[in-house]
Amino acid sequence: MRVRPPAVAGMFYPGERGRLRSMIDGFLDQARGGCPDFASVRAVIVPHAGYVYSGSTAALAYAGVERLADNVKHVVIVGPTHRVGIHGIALPDADAMATPLGNVAVWADGAKRALEQPQVVVSAAVHQDEHSLEVQVPFLQVVLPDADILPLAAGWVEPAAVTCVLDAVWGPDTLVVISSDLSHYHRYDEARQIDRASVDQILNRDPNLDHDQACGATGVNALALAARDRHLRPQLLGLCNSGDTASDKHRVVGYAALSFHQDQQGQEALR
């Protein structure tokens, strides 16, 4: 079996199994009380910074996702490429991804269907050091322990192409996770204004965020397009920045957690 080893364990999150599980459990314990009804959730947007910065925000979504454990068999993760550029969308050259919590299988049938789309390729190089997908996996191992994953690294590609891939793999037993931080390295008050405006665009399902607003804008915009077609209603779960969590307020990074709920019209279309 080909396993993609962890690249940022010990940096973005604890590299030791017990400490990692304890940290995730702590975030989830704090988040569980405020979770809305997640029965109709089909997708979430979560940040991908180091856990000390953004883990508490990501947990606002994952604490709700935990309630879907009996129904979700596959998780499609879309994240941006930070280290190796690509004109397209990359799957890992692996059958599983490893973290200190163990291995998670890559969804084989989902990968096969994704590769039928013209912009999708297999690239070990793109995935080797990419953190935007990896940091989601330990959370998923805790809240959806029986699900497999389809990690998609989106490079220079139109959001509509990513939406096409989502359409090819998105079924009733599939959850979509979009991995993205918001603005980078503004002063605290300026970042709050920028990020609030960006969140308003997401809540309006506006597929025109740029990468200064969100490093994972391609995936966010792809979800906005899909949300229109699938009658998904966004809901903001939490918004903050690194100045609120673990850094000073001179150069901050923004984080948001959002859930996308199937409205009644969309539920009827799925029947």
Side-chain angles (χ1 to χ4, degrees):
M1 181 171 68
R2 299 165 301 160
V3 178
R4 186 270 192 188
V8 295
M11 293 181 285
F12 278 66
Y13 58 84
E16 190 272 320
R17 179 187 180 93
R19 287 185 56 229
L20 175 56
R21 181 61 192 254
S22 178
M23 177 178 274
I24 292 173
D25 285 343
F27 287 141
L28 293 173
D29 285 344
Q30 292 175 3
R32 284 187 182 108
C35 282
D37 179 19
F38 256 66
S40 61
V41 166
R42 304 298 312 284
V44 295
I45 297 174
V46 287
H48 57 235
Y51 281 13
V52 296
Y53 298 104
S54 68
S56 57
T57 303
L60 296 172
Y62 284 123
V65 166
E66 186 176 40
R67 303 177 187 179
L68 306 176
D70 291 338
N71 300 316
V72 173
K73 296 180 179 178
H74 314 293
V75 181
V76 180
I77 315 171
V78 181
T81 59
H82 288 85
R83 291 169 174 80
V84 177
I86 183 173
H87 289 278
I89 305 161
L91 284 164
D93 186 19
D95 303 306
M97 290 183 68
T99 81
L101 300 182
N103 294 347
V104 181
V106 172
W107 180 21
D109 185 59
K112 180 179 178 181
R113 280 187 262 162
L115 284 167
E116 293 172 354
Q117 302 299 310
Q119 304 251 27
V120 180
V121 299
V122 173
S123 175
V126 168
H127 280 266
Q128 179 175 331
D129 295 318
E130 181 53 58
H131 68 272
S132 70
L133 303 162
E134 179 182 327
V135 298
Q136 310 307 337
V137 178
F139 271 104
L140 291 168
Q141 288 173 292
V142 173
V143 301
L144 298 176
D146 298 323
D148 54 24
I149 59 174
L150 185 68
L152 300 170
W156 295 297
V157 65
E158 289 297 319
V162 179
T163 304
C164 287
V165 179
L166 294 179
D167 288 340
V169 300
W170 200 345
D173 57 358
T174 307
L175 176 75
V176 172
V177 173
I178 304 297
S179 178
S180 181
D181 296 335
L182 296 179
S183 67
H184 284 56
Y185 308 135
H186 298 282
R187 294 183 68 87
Y188 181 84
D189 290 337
E190 182 183 7
R192 290 187 64 187
Q193 293 179 5
I194 293 169
D195 294 339
R196 181 67 246 190
S198 298
V199 165
D200 286 344
Q201 284 185 250
I202 298 171
L203 293 173
N204 287 322
R205 298 181 297 185
D206 178 353
N208 294 295
L209 263 71
D210 63 44
H211 287 86
D212 289 330
Q213 293 174 277
C215 58
T218 300
V220 174
N221 291 336
L223 179 57
L225 292 171
R228 292 177 172 185
D229 292 339
R230 292 172 175 267
H231 307 287
L232 303 181
R233 173 179 47 83
Q235 179 174 353
L236 177 64
L237 304 174
L239 172 64
C240 74
N241 63 53
S242 57
D244 298 308
T245 52
S247 74
D248 64 42
K249 298 186 177 183
H250 296 290
R251 282 166 52 87
V252 303
V253 177
Y255 314 120
L258 297 99
S259 53
F260 284 69
H261 300 249
Q262 190 82 68
D263 66 20
Q264 187 61 38
Q265 184 177 358
Q267 290 176 6
E268 291 173 356
L270 287 174
R271 294 194 182 108

